[in-house]
Amino acid sequence: MTGAASGWNRFGGASRPAAAAVLALLALVMLWGATGGVGRDHLRTAVPTSARFDGLVGDHALYARIVQRVGAGESYYAAAAAEHRAGNYPLRPFVTVRLPTLAHILATLGEWNMMLALLLIGGAAILFWYRRLRTEAGLPRYAAVGALFVAANLTQLAAREWLYIHEVTAGVLLALALAFYRPARPWVTMALVAAALAIRETVLPVAMLFGLFALIDRDWRAAAGWMAVGLAFAGGLAAHIAALAAVTSPADAASQGWHGQGGWIAYLSFVQASSLLRFFAGWTGALLVPLALLGWAAWRSRLGLAVLVVQLLYAALLMLFARPANFYWAMLVTPTLFIGLAFAPAALAALARSLWRPARTVAPAA
């Protein structure tokens, strides 16, 4: 980048070598995805032997059965252990059993009230992203179209089977938390991230990132707040481990591990299956996901940086660790990923201008 860069677009004023490098990388990952076979071959969903319950299959059925037993008054951990054993699901290590928060909420509210609650949270996420993109200093007015991409990728909130998948609830809470994030006023974001963390422990990297930002800013109150969230989570996780240990034994099945190592193509496949792109051919995701990441990279702001880091971090986790059956992990980040498409055209235009800008010539000395 050169000193000519200004405004919200980080790629405005990029040097010619930098622009060429970014465009070459973009073309490479697009080509890789388009020719790599993005799609259902990289996913593993229900099979004939999968658990079934009340019209639900696989993990959906497992978690629904647990909720039913909890609603009937049974201890969460006894119910979870029994259902995991009945469905040949692993019980070791502790991360194979979800935290009890969502099961208790669903058992208390019921399916329809839970769906209504999630739709309200999703609607709030759409509204607050619209307001944020419309009012953020320096952003062009068309940036508000990004809220439509949030709406398009929250459609699973209206589907009964996804009520039981923890990443869906945690993902919509994260989308709302990111819309509220401002370094000077982190408290709403902190509360929402803490709520998401209580549902799915894989939200921890987001809390750690915001805590790191608070330390960089030397905002000791915010840093203390994020530390409190981390300590509360650690205490809850310790209680979860102890409660699970009381109902399991070394004879229970252990997980095969999380070493999917599916790489870029698997990541694209997971995003496609977890977003509106599931209705389109695989090559659409191969083109649009890199453009969305480019758009986030273009937005010069703390929020733009935060979302970009979150997206890249979870992309790496999905590429390295997620197995084909874990594709829905991507639902933690798909609600906000495609907001980047609103910034992508301006990013491409700025890079093209930098690439085609006439090279400066130096006049020879007299």
Side-chain angles (χ1 to χ4, degrees), residues 95-180:
V95 290
T96 60
V97 178
R98 297 290 185 263
L99 296 171
T101 314
L102 184 62
H104 283 295
I105 293 172
L106 267 165
T108 301
L109 294 181
E111 287 183 347
W112 295 110
N113 287 334
M114 183 65 180
M115 183 180 294
L116 177 60
L118 287 180
L119 288 171
L120 289 174
I121 297 171
I126 296 164
L127 172 63
F128 282 101
W129 267 111
Y130 174 80
R131 289 182 58 185
R132 186 67 183 268
L133 295 169
R134 186 72 183 269
T135 61
E136 190 75 12
L139 282 184
R141 281 194 170 271
Y142 63 76
V145 74
L148 294 178
F149 297 122
V150 179
N153 289 289
L154 287 176
T155 55
Q156 67 269 20
L157 299 181
R160 172 185 172 235
E161 64 269 25
W162 291 108
L163 295 176
Y164 295 96
I165 299 301
H166 300 68
E167 285 77 4
V168 172
T169 301
V172 69
L173 287 169
L174 278 184
L176 184 56
L178 290 168
F180 273 106

Side-chain angles (χ1 to χ4, degrees), residues 8 10 132 136-137 139 296 298-306:
W8 70 269
R10 182 175 280 110
R132 186 67 183 268
E136 190 75 12
L139 282 184
W296 278 118
W299 186 10
R300 192 203 313 273
S301 70
R302 172 59 68 82
L303 178 57
L305 175 63

Side-chain angles (χ1 to χ4, degrees), residues 8 18 46 55 100 107 115 154 169 181 190 213 220 235 244 257 271 296 315 340 349 365:
W8 70 269
M115 183 180 294
L154 287 176
T169 301
Y181 176 63
M190 194 177 294
F213 282 156
W220 309 124
L244 189 59
V271 168
W296 278 118

